[in-house]
Amino acid sequence: MNTSRQTRFGPNSTAAEVVAGHDLSGTTAVVTGAASGIGVETARALAGAGARVLVAARDAARGEATAADIRRSTGNPQVAFELLDLASLRSVREFAARYLADGRPLHLLVNNAGVMATPFGLTEDGFELQFGTNHLGHFTLTTALLPALRAAGGARVVSLSSRAHGIDDVHLDDPNFAHRRYDPWAAYGQSKTANMLFAVGLTNRHAAEGITSNAVMPGVILSPLWRHTPQWGQRRQDADGRIGTPPGWKTAEQGAATSVWAAVAAELQGVGGRYLDDCAVARPWPGGGSMPGGHYRPYALDPDRAEALWRLSETLVAG
Ligand SMILES: NC(=O)c1ccc[n+]([C@@H]2O[C@H](COP(=O)([O-])OP(=O)(O)OC[C@H]3O[C@@H](n4cnc5c(N)ncnc54)[C@H](OP(=O)(O)O)[C@@H]3O)[C@@H](O)[C@H]2O)c1
């Protein structure tokens, strides 16, 4: 594989440009959190290339409306909503059971849903809200869907992370902030590091079965993810309710590009455990200080930490 940062695509590429020329007919994709922000445009691009797409979301009305909008805009009738609340392991397991009962292979799983910098909260199962939703929910979903991923004979799992992984490592001894003061950004950083370690762990355990996973930094996009920050209060919306893009930020269509690149790029065939940024493989940044774009903190792709997190996650979700 060419690991140089030079690819055909870059920071301004859109998901539609990345998927152009790919024929995904006969494949199935699940996109979590697909009723908002980057997820909508990820689902739309995959559906536009012919994939059958499940819009997995926790709000049924918005999920149904998004699926209908994508069917309309792409002309692909195989786009449907499925209920999924990642903050409830019961809901996650019910989603996976419904999927497996259908008997279809799963070629693409885009673990896109997320919450950011929330006030302290707990999931239905008692996990800190960001670690529980962003990591443990997707961990449970992916491991429950393994039979369908195996059946695809080559499946890719995209794990949405963030440059915010640089804020903090996973605290394996206290992931739920039971014994340390809660900090909304440290909790987000921890959960996004977990998303990267998960991509490493999944690839290391399942690449031999054709399942690989890369982590993605989508860019900075003013979506409802930002609702707990001052930037959200300063947003501008046009007459159609579309949120304006501040200078230097990405649109949702650009934000979906690296997820779609992770899903379809020929040069990533059989490649996993990487961190992708601006449609390119990022490089390690072992130094301190401010980390430039296109780089990652090495602790977040460390195979031993990935294995330790995997074992901890198995224990936590087993109850
Ligand atoms: N936007 C950025 O600047 C940025 C930067 C780096 C990384 N990311 C990552 O990119 C991903 C997508 O972010 P986005 O900007 O598109 O944000 P978004 O518009 O807020 O979309 C996130 C989606 O996740 C869903 N979600 C949250 N909790 C859920 C739960 N318990 N069960 C099911 N779905 C749930 C949300 O559902 P509701 O609509 O019902 O809340 C929403 O549809 C996230 O993983 C985020 O961490 C974003």
Side-chain angles (χ1 to χ4, degrees), residues 5-158:
R5 284 200 44 83
Q6 296 300 315
T7 69
R8 283 197 303 133
F9 306 107
N12 299 322
S13 300
T14 63
E17 288 164 2
V18 170
V19 87
H22 290 268
D23 179 6
L24 299 181
S25 47
T27 67
T28 299
V30 168
V31 182
T32 70
S36 172
I38 300 165
V40 177
E41 301 312 325
T42 304
R44 196 190 310 280
L46 298 176
R52 172 178 172 258
V53 177
L54 294 188
V55 169
R58 62 178 166 176
D59 182 309
R62 277 195 293 118
E64 295 280 15
T66 302
D69 175 57
I70 295 174
R71 285 195 296 272
R72 221 174 10 249
S73 66
T74 60
N76 181 344
Q78 291 188 292
V79 181
F81 158 73
E82 273 291 338
L83 187 66
L84 172 69
D85 182 355
L86 289 154
S88 158
L89 295 185
R90 180 187 45 78
S91 170
V92 172
R93 289 176 177 135
E94 286 175 1
F95 176 97
R98 288 196 302 277
Y99 192 94
L100 296 180
D102 199 27
R104 298 197 200 218
L106 178 57
H107 306 82
L108 295 171
L109 171 59
V110 185
N111 287 334
N112 165 84
V115 287
M116 181 173 84
T118 51
F120 183 76
L122 298 176
T123 67
E124 188 177 284
D125 305 276
F127 306 123
E128 185 280 315
L129 189 62
Q130 300 190 68
F131 185 71
T133 304
N134 300 355
H135 170 61
L136 289 175
H138 284 124
F139 175 85
T140 305
L141 178 69
T142 308
T143 50
L145 287 170
L146 277 172
L149 292 165
R150 281 190 196 103
R156 298 191 191 189
V157 177
V158 182

Side-chain angles (χ1 to χ4, degrees), residues 173-189:
D173 57 345
D174 188 18
N176 292 309
F177 289 82
H179 307 293
R180 55 191 168 122
R181 198 174 60 81
Y182 181 72
D183 177 284
W185 285 104
Y188 184 63

